[in-house]
Amino acid sequence: MRATILILLLLFPSSGAARASEPIANNTPETQEDSHHLAQLANCRAGITDVAARPQDRKRWIETLLAFDTPQARQLVVELLESSENPAAQEDLCRVIAQFARTTPERLATAFIDPLLRLLDSEKDGLRAAAVDALADFPGSEVSARLCGLAARPDITIVKRLAAIDALASKADHREVIGELMTLLDAGVPEITDRVVTVLEPMCRQGFGADVDRWKKWWAEKSQLSEERWLADQLQIHRDRHRSLAEAFTAYRDSAEQQRAALANRLGEFQREVFRTTNNEQERAAKLAAWLDDPLVQVKRAALGIIRARIGDEGKRPTGEVLAALLRLLKEGEPAIRRETLLIVQTLNDPAVVDAVLEQLRNESDGAMRHAVLRAIGRLNDPKAIPALVREIANPSAPPECLHEAAVALGQVAAQSQDRSELAAAVPALKKRYESLGNGDFTGRAALLAAMAGIGDASFAPEFLAALGSEEVRLLRPAIRGFSAIGDQSQLPRLRTLMSHGDPLVRLDAVDAIGAFGSEDADLESVLTRLSPTVEPNDAVREAAWNAFRQVAGRKPLAERIESSERLREMPELEETYLLELSAGLPPSNGHGPELAAIQDRLATVLTGRGKYGEAVSHLRNLYESSVANRRSGAADIGMRWLEAVLRSPGEPPIAETVERLASDGDESVRGRVVACIAGYAATLQGPQDADRIRALLTSLRKVPSNPFGEDWEALLDDTESRLTATDPVEAPSTP
């Protein structure tokens, strides 16, 4: 009982000690529930009146007090409104009442009206404004009537009258309120008139200023409207007001966003400048780690930008405390920051990153972030992720975009795994999920086919075969890659057909697959047709066809590989490249002398046919020397081709050395052919444009002793000199 009396003293101190001595227990039987409620109210009072309380804490106590629907609670609210010991508590109580008036008006009691009305003439502007807000939306018609009465009383302070008018502003769409306000215009008090006009102007949609007569005329018309017309007029007013407020809000929001962006830029510039002027790398790392842990999003974002720039511009990847801060941010930051962090860490080849990203996948609930994590796993490309990806694929509740990303990632990661048992364990899950998808789910099935192709298990052949018969591009491409992965040659005819598909990406995949395991002449011919720009307009497909040609030809015996060059006769540039590759891969010491000679012979023919005589010289010389050393027939013919190439080579070709070599190796007939070859070449040199070549030829020929050739050589020299004289009569070299 003593505790109850103390609680009552706390609740109702104004009642005095005499009241505390009354036998309360005799009037109202006390129960345990009553005692508990009184203790709750005492706590509320203490929290609200605590002068050291934070505003947010006081607000929570007030909300708790207003939640009690008991006479004791309502009486405590009235007492607190009337108590002037703590104006801050009074003001906060008014503001919470205003909030409840808009959200849960049923919690407010009419007993609060009188204390609130008395606060309208408070000397404290903040408290008076809070009371106005509380009364503005207070439920019930009684408040409007009381406010109108206060505003009309000339015996009260002008401050209180103006406050009453301000409180009526929110009720100015009621006819009776407007009528009362119109009567105030007759008071002849300028302050009252100005305040009433301020309240009425939004309802009028035009300004009459202080012209009372025009306001009365306006009201005379409006007051005669039917209820339906009145409501329609009010609806239009509120629509106009809503539109103007929406426009103002948009302008405010845009301005705020611009200011926020400007502040973020300035803050980022400041951070970058601080970072730039910090020379010690350890201090730099400490700053980045601190910024990443900073509660401000803008500070985190600027730090992430610095890290991205260091990776891109300097190749400096985050390590140590910076990497640790990034991984914390990946787990604890808001979704937008986590996604930015993920874009950075997914480029880091670090086991700690892989572990952190996999842990994030296990715990992530945000759909967009989960999708981003799965994409990052694919880019990290670590086989450690295979079980997590398989679980995601097997999860029937996984969103379609997550299923797609997990399947694509699995296809990429599987190629890096050396554990076939782990990949084999994924087969049933992929097959089951593929079967569960409808035939029309091309995106989901295509992603699963890509994963199957990455694993390359032969048991996926039925799925690949069904998709290969489809005309849907999204299914065709992974099915082609799947057959390429398992090397099923039974589908080569279908793949050759797909090389002429309308979609260039399908053609590209089909060509790649033919190159991967094709070996028949039909495969060689099919890729050969894709080399021509008139047949294949896509550069990437033509490049793939060239690679496929070399791959398929490379599976054939050496003799057939050499013969394959004949298929490139219409494309001499490719034929040259192909023959050079064959030549480089067959050194004579490996017992491929005849084959190498055949390659060099064909290569020299291609080069000279393209006018590339200088490049043909080495091949013809090697071919000639090999023929002479092995006493093969036709050496003299090769020698003449060699000499012809030397003569037509640019720069300063070794004409004299070549002539002497052929003369020493051959008989009289060979020497005659040498003279005839040179004479034939000299005959092609005519006019001033060839003067330099004739002069260089004559200089080279004079270095050759005439003994092996006799009179024919002297005649050749005379003829060449005469050609030089004809082209350059001013100066001709003299015979020594």
Side-chain angles (χ1 to χ4, degrees):
M1 179 62 66
R2 184 177 300 171
T4 302
I5 294 173
L6 290 174
I7 291 171
L8 288 172
L9 282 172
L10 286 172
L11 283 172
F12 313 116
S14 59
S15 55
R19 182 169 180 178
S21 63
E22 294 177 5
I24 299 176
N26 296 334
N27 297 333
T28 305
E30 181 183 350
T31 65
Q32 185 176 1
E33 183 176 351
D34 292 336
S35 178
H36 176 66
H37 179 53
L38 292 175
Q40 289 176 318
L41 296 181
N43 288 335
C44 289
R45 174 184 171 81
I48 295 170
T49 58
D50 184 1
V51 294
R54 297 182 304 171
Q56 58 266 36
D57 294 334
R58 183 183 291 116
K59 179 183 177 184
R60 283 195 292 269
W61 282 115
I62 295 172
E63 289 173 345
T64 302
L65 175 59
L66 289 174
F68 292 123
D69 186 18
T70 65
Q72 297 93 330
R74 290 192 288 273
Q75 183 179 348
L76 179 55
V77 172
V78 171
E79 178 191 335
L80 292 172
L81 286 172
E82 293 179 339
S83 173
S84 60
E85 295 178 0
N86 190 344
Q90 287 178 292
E91 183 176 336
D92 288 342
L93 185 56
C94 289
R95 298 208 179 281
V96 175
I97 289 175
Q99 173 188 325
F100 275 46
R102 290 187 291 270
T103 57
T104 53
E106 67 277 2
R107 293 189 178 183
L108 302 181
T110 56
F112 303 162
I113 298 175
D114 282 338
L116 290 172
L117 290 172
R118 283 192 285 272
L119 292 175
L120 292 181
D121 60 354
S122 171
E123 296 179 355
K124 299 185 179 299
D125 294 340
L127 179 56
R128 186 170 64 254
V132 168
D133 288 343
L135 290 166
D137 294 310
F138 205 94
S141 58
E142 179 184 353
V143 176
S144 300
R146 299 284 297 277
L147 289 170
C148 288
L150 285 177
R153 287 178 55 183
D155 59 322
I156 62 175
T157 65
I158 190 66
V159 170
K160 191 169 187 177
R161 295 180 70 185
L162 294 176
I165 295 172
D166 290 340
L168 285 169
S170 66
K171 309 173 189 300
D173 54 350
H174 298 175
R175 289 202 204 206
E176 60 275 12
V177 172
I178 296 180
E180 294 292 339
L181 291 173
M182 294 300 299
T183 62
L184 295 176
L185 295 177
D186 294 328
V189 180
E191 294 93 334
I192 298 292
T193 301
D194 291 344
R195 193 61 58 91
V196 170
V197 167
T198 301
V199 172
L200 291 176
E201 279 183 339
M203 308 305 301
C204 179
R205 297 202 295 265
Q206 55 184 315
F208 299 140
D211 191 335
V212 175
D213 292 336
R214 294 184 68 186
W215 280 111
K216 289 184 175 182
K217 181 180 179 181
W218 168 81
W219 177 239
E221 296 176 358
K222 292 295 182 182
S223 62
Q224 300 302 316
L225 292 177
S226 66
E227 187 67 20
E228 183 179 354
R229 288 287 306 280
W230 170 264
L231 292 175
D233 189 60
Q234 294 302 305
L235 178 61
Q236 187 59 48
I237 289 172
H238 286 293
R239 281 177 175 171
D240 293 342
R241 188 180 301 173
H242 178 270
R243 182 170 57 253
S244 63
L245 288 174
E247 292 172 353
F249 171 75
T250 300
Y252 173 79
R253 183 185 59 193
D254 292 344
S255 175
E257 180 60 27
Q258 290 174 1
Q259 293 181 23
R260 186 206 64 79
L263 286 173
N265 289 337
R266 293 288 298 276
L267 183 59
E269 291 173 2
F270 173 74
Q271 287 178 250
R272 287 189 290 273
E273 181 63 20
V274 170
F275 188 81
R276 186 186 65 80
T277 55
T278 302
N279 296 322
N280 185 284
E281 191 61 32
Q282 187 174 359
E283 292 180 10
R284 283 184 158 198
K287 288 185 183 299
L288 283 175
W291 289 339
L292 290 172
D293 290 332
D294 194 279
L296 283 178
V297 171
Q298 291 82 357
V299 175
K300 296 178 189 289
R301 188 159 282 146
L304 291 172
I306 292 172
I307 294 172
R308 281 196 303 270
R310 297 193 86 197
I311 294 174
D313 299 340
E314 306 172 33
K316 291 187 177 181
R317 298 174 179 273
T319 58
E321 59 182 327
V322 178
L323 179 59
L326 280 172
L327 297 182
R328 286 194 300 273
L329 197 58
L330 179 65
K331 181 168 59 176
E332 300 170 0
E334 63 180 43
I337 292 295
R338 295 209 309 273
R339 281 193 289 273
E340 286 190 42
T341 306
L342 192 61
L343 292 175
I344 293 174
V345 301
Q346 71 184 15
T347 65
L348 307 179
N349 186 17
D350 190 301
V353 172
V354 177
D355 293 339
V357 172
L358 290 176
E359 180 184 359
Q360 190 65 28
L361 180 64
R362 284 192 294 271
N363 302 323
E364 186 59 63
S365 58
D366 182 80
M369 184 64 188
R370 192 172 184 83
H371 178 261
V373 170
L374 289 166
R375 177 171 295 180
I377 290 174
R379 292 181 178 175
L380 288 167
N381 209 16
D382 194 309
K384 192 188 300 183
I386 290 176
L389 294 173
V390 173
R391 284 195 300 272
E392 188 74 18
I393 291 170
N395 180 11
S397 62
E401 60 273 14
C402 289
L403 168 64
H404 177 272
E405 208 62 59
V408 171
L410 179 59
Q412 296 168 348
V413 173
Q416 307 300 320
S417 176
Q418 303 299 321
D419 188 351
R420 297 306 303 178
S421 62
E422 187 175 52
L423 294 177
V427 171
L430 285 168
K431 281 180 164 287
K432 183 177 180 180
R433 193 61 194 273
Y434 187 85
E435 184 64 29
S436 70
L437 298 180
N439 291 332
D441 189 354
F442 298 129
T443 301
R445 286 201 158 192
L448 291 173
L449 285 171
M452 295 175 183
I455 292 175
D457 194 286
S459 63
F460 291 130
E463 286 80 9
F464 294 149
L465 183 60
L468 200 65
S470 170
E471 289 302 320
E472 174 57 45
V473 171
R474 285 173 288 182
L475 299 182
L476 279 174
R477 297 192 63 204
I480 293 171
R481 294 195 295 271
F483 275 114
S484 179
I486 64 178
D488 187 344
Q489 293 188 332
S490 66
Q491 298 305 311
L492 284 172
R494 171 62 174 160
L495 294 177
R496 290 196 290 267
T497 301
L498 289 173
M499 288 171 60
S500 58
H501 193 276
D503 190 288
L505 293 177
V506 173
R507 298 200 302 273
L508 180 64
D509 287 335
V511 169
D512 284 339
I514 293 290
F517 62 95
S519 59
E520 303 174 7
D521 282 346
D523 300 326
L524 204 60
E525 288 297 330
S526 63
V527 295
L528 187 64
T529 60
R530 310 315 300 181
L531 291 175
S532 172
T534 59
V535 176
E536 177 52 65
N538 188 276
D539 293 341
V541 177
R542 290 201 304 275
E543 181 64 27
W546 171 233
N547 292 331
F549 179 87
R550 289 180 291 179
Q551 288 175 293
V552 176
R555 299 187 183 98
K556 294 181 175 296
L558 181 55
E560 293 185 29
R561 272 185 273 167
I562 297 173
E563 290 178 6
S564 296
S565 68
E566 295 289 334
R567 302 172 186 263
L568 299 169
R569 187 179 297 275
E570 300 300 323
M571 291 167 279
E573 183 177 356
L574 294 181
E575 184 180 10
E576 175 189 338
T577 302
Y578 180 68
L579 290 168
L580 284 170
E581 291 177 357
L582 285 179
S583 174
L586 294 175
S589 58
N590 287 355
H592 295 301
E595 291 85 355
L596 182 59
I599 294 171
Q600 290 179 328
D601 190 357
R602 180 61 193 160
L603 182 56
T605 300
V606 172
L607 290 171
T608 55
R610 300 185 65 198
K612 302 170 75 171
Y613 296 100
E615 296 179 26
V617 166
S618 61
H619 299 289
L620 288 168
R621 183 182 63 247
N622 293 337
L623 187 59
Y624 173 78
E625 290 175 348
S626 173
S627 298
V628 171
N630 293 286
R631 298 182 179 181
R632 289 195 294 268
S633 61
D637 294 334
I638 296 172
M640 294 307 106
R641 292 169 61 195
W642 175 27
L643 177 58
E644 180 76 19
V646 170
L647 290 169
R648 295 182 179 276
S649 295
E652 299 179 0
I655 297 174
E657 293 86 344
T658 305
V659 169
E660 290 183 44
R661 174 65 187 277
L662 293 173
S664 64
D665 288 342
D667 54 15
E668 186 176 349
S669 64
V670 170
R671 290 191 285 273
R673 293 179 67 181
V674 169
V675 173
C677 180
I678 297 172
Y681 168 69
T684 65
L685 303 176
Q686 298 178 1
Q689 71 275 9
D690 292 328
D692 290 340
R693 293 191 65 84
I694 298 172
R695 187 178 294 107
L697 175 62
L698 186 57
T699 300
S700 296
L701 294 180
R702 284 176 176 157
K703 295 178 182 179
V704 179
S706 60
N707 296 337
F709 300 98
E711 295 178 356
D712 291 341
W713 189 256
E714 294 298 332
L716 176 61
L717 290 174
D718 291 342
D719 180 67
T720 305
E721 186 172 355
S722 66
R723 290 181 181 278
L724 181 59
T725 303
T727 60
D728 187 8
V730 176
E731 180 183 356
S734 59
T735 302

